[in-house]
Every structure is written in structure tokens, then in C-alpha cells.
């Protein structure tokens, strides 16, 4: 993909960059997140799986990480470019803050359901992410993903 110029990259470039960045970060830090989740589990660290199956729940991260990050960066860049044209240069830091806030809200639409499934799979490594998703929807409905 080619970038039009360094100050205003095209949508596809932003989409792919955000998706790859999010996926790389989440896959790299996943084992630490699993350990943290199991330490916080009500059943205790060892009963939640201890150091076994340290990548339990990785499926939901792989599915949700890229879209969540892509939505964040696309929303951020869109809001920033729209606001930059109509707001004085003196308020650029406020534009970045507002754009980042909007990006985070938009990405949470994707990120929260995948986090719910990921954490439940990490705390109960007997089931796959897919099975946890099915159980959650069957017992709690789609509201269980929020």
C-alpha cells in the first residue's frame, strides 16, 4: 500500500497499520494477561489453570484484536482530520485528545465482547474460546458479552 503523504495517510494504510499493531501487542502480552487473570480468579491461580495452557483464549484475541485496533485508529484519524480543518492551531492538543477519546469509545464496541470471552477462557482453560462464546450466549444472551 502506498501512502499519499506522511501527514495524511490513506484509509487502507491506517486500517492495516492499526490492525497489525493491535494484533502484535495483544499476542505478545497475552501470556502475562493470562497469568494476571488467573491470579485474580475467584477459584485461585492453580485451579484456574496455573501455568498450564497459558494461551487459552488466544482465539478471541486473534479475532477481536485487529478489528478493535483498526476501528480505533480509523476513528482517531477521521475525527482528527475533520476537526483540524475547522479548529485553530492553538487547540491541536485538544483535537488529539478528543479524537483519541472517540477512537477508544468506538473500539470498545469490538474490544469488550472479545475481552469477556478471553477472560472467561483464561479462567477456565477446559473450554475453547468458541465454546465459551456459545455458553455465554446460551446462558446470558448477547447481553452477557457486555
Amino acid at each position: 500500500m502506498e501512502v499519499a503523504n506522511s501527514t495524511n495517510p490513506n484509509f487502507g494504510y491506517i486500517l492495516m497499520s492499526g490492525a497489525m499493531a493491535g494484533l502484535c501487542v495483544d499476542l505478545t502480552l497475552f501470556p502475562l494477561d493470562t497469568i494476571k487473570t488467573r491470579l485474580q480468579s475467584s477459584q485461585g491461580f492453580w485451579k484456574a489453570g496455573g501455568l498450564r495452557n497459558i494461551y487459552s483464549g488466544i482465539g478471541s484475541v486473534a479475532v477481536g484484536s485487529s478489528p478493535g485496533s483498526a476501528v480505533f485508529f480509523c476513528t482517531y484519524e477521521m475525527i482528527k482530520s475533520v476537526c483540524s480543518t475547522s479548529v485553530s492551531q492553538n487547540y491541536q492538543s485538544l483535537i488529539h485528545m478528543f479524537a483519541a477519546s472517540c477512537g477508544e469509545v468506538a473500539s470498545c464496541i469490538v474490544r469488550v465482547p472479545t475481552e469477556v470471552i478471553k477472560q472467561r477462557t483464561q479462567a477456565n482453560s477446559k473450554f475453547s474460546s468458541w465454546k465459551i462464546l456459545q455458553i455465554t450466549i446460551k446462558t446470558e444472551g448477547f447481553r452477557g458479552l457486555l
Side-chain angles (χ1 to χ4, degrees), residues 10 40 70 74:
N10 67 34
Q40 295 171 343
C74 289

Side-chain angles (χ1 to χ4, degrees), residues 10-31:
N10 67 34
F11 179 77
Y13 183 79
I14 295 166
L15 184 75
M16 292 306 296
S17 297
M20 293 307 297
L23 184 62
C24 289
V25 167
D26 285 345
L27 291 178
T28 302
L29 297 177
F30 189 81

Side-chain angles (χ1 to χ4, degrees), residues 1-49:
M1 257 181 250
E2 192 172 310
V3 179
N5 64 44
S6 62
T7 60
N8 194 13
N10 67 34
F11 179 77
Y13 183 79
I14 295 166
L15 184 75
M16 292 306 296
S17 297
M20 293 307 297
L23 184 62
C24 289
V25 167
D26 285 345
L27 291 178
T28 302
L29 297 177
F30 189 81
L32 292 173
D33 190 48
T34 300
I35 291 169
K36 177 191 70 121
T37 300
R38 289 179 181 175
L39 285 168
Q40 295 171 343
S41 173
S42 61
Q43 57 187 334
F45 179 73
W46 294 110
K47 286 186 180 178

Side-chain angles (χ1 to χ4, degrees), residues 74-93:
C74 289
T75 304
Y76 171 79
E77 288 294 333
M78 181 189 69
I79 298 291
K80 188 177 77 169
S81 67
V82 167
C83 291
S84 292
T85 59
S86 59
V87 177
S88 160
Q89 289 289 6
N90 297 335
Y91 299 106
Q92 289 301 306
S93 59

